[in-house]
Amino acid sequence: MKNRYIAPVLLGAGIAIALYSCGTTIPKNAKAVTNFDKSKYLGKWYEIARLDFKYEKGLNNVTAEYSLNDNGTIKVDNKGYDVKKEKWEQSIGKAKFVKTDDVGMLKVSFFGPFYAGYNVVAVEDNYKYALVVGENLKYMWILSRETTIPESIKADFLIKAREIGFEISDLVWVKHDKAN
């Protein structure tokens, strides 16, 4: 009698994992950038600020480098300096566009088939500064092509983040004092 429930439970669990791993969501008040230019976004970015989470806790000098893989996905190469361990940490993953590659809505994976949302919600015209959010209000990053960001851009991004619903007082402001 109990065995007849195993298949439906496993099927339901499989569907739930598949839906969760899609990473296609975006916070309610956020909108991904349209007319997104993938080629301009590729390259090295410096993390200026973030909402802290376990994989980046204690890291400074954080960078993300994006490059095109042969199969059309984007290689994600994240690096950061762990101040307590006094050593560099690196994590390599891949990203895919959720819809089309002209909408800044991607899903990124560092762990096999599991994806999380990566949504570019603001980018400066020359692709020097970007505001990126995850699939919910727990994940947010301010990125720059340099180790600093102009106060005017920072202020605009913080206003936008607050309008989306982010608690900007929780942001970690990343130091850049080591070359990697």
Side-chain angles (χ1 to χ4, degrees):
M1 193 71 111
K2 291 181 183 178
N3 287 342
R4 71 182 179 139
Y5 295 112
I6 291 175
V9 167
L10 290 176
L11 179 63
I15 291 170
I17 288 171
L19 290 173
Y20 177 76
S21 69
C22 287
T24 60
T25 57
I26 186 168
K28 185 174 97 172
N29 296 324
K31 185 177 184 306
V33 169
T34 55
N35 297 318
F36 185 76
D37 188 335
K38 171 177 61 175
S39 63
K40 286 184 180 179
Y41 196 79
L42 297 176
K44 187 172 188 173
W45 291 89
Y46 293 89
E47 188 179 90
I48 301 301
R50 70 170 178 267
L51 287 177
D52 221 8
F53 64 103
K54 70 179 181 177
Y55 296 112
E56 284 192 273
K57 205 166 276 303
L59 296 183
N60 269 324
N61 301 286
V62 178
T63 61
E65 190 149 358
Y66 305 105
S67 58
L68 205 53
N69 288 319
D70 291 338
N71 65 2
T73 62
I74 296 172
K75 178 182 177 184
V76 180
D77 185 353
N78 290 345
K79 292 179 185 165
Y81 188 78
D82 187 317
V83 292
K84 286 186 181 172
K85 295 179 183 175
E86 296 184 346
K87 70 175 197 167
W88 288 98
E89 301 286 341
Q90 181 177 27
S91 185
I92 297 177
K94 65 181 174 188
K96 301 177 183 180
F97 284 90
V98 172
K99 297 178 181 178
T100 59
D101 67 1
D102 65 342
V103 176
M105 185 181 239
L106 297 95
K107 57 185 182 176
V108 65
S109 175
F110 292 95
F111 309 107
F114 301 102
Y115 284 85
Y118 180 99
N119 304 288
V120 181
V121 296
V123 66
E124 180 266 340
D125 290 341
N126 294 318
Y127 285 70
K128 282 186 76 172
Y129 314 104
L131 176 62
V132 178
V133 303
E135 56 200 23
N136 57 44
L137 298 177
K138 294 180 183 177
Y139 306 101
M140 188 192 99
W141 300 267
I142 295 175
L143 305 177
S144 172
R145 295 294 187 171
E146 303 161 349
T147 58
T148 60
I149 190 168
E151 285 298 317
S152 61
I153 304 259
K154 176 180 161 182
D156 289 346
F157 284 177
L158 292 176
I159 289 167
K160 185 168 189 75
R162 193 179 305 118
E163 288 171 352
I164 292 169
F166 286 97
E167 186 54 58
I168 62 170
S169 63
D170 292 340
L171 285 171
V172 172
W173 295 93
V174 180
K175 292 179 188 169
H176 288 280
D177 56 2
K178 291 190 180 303
N180 68 4

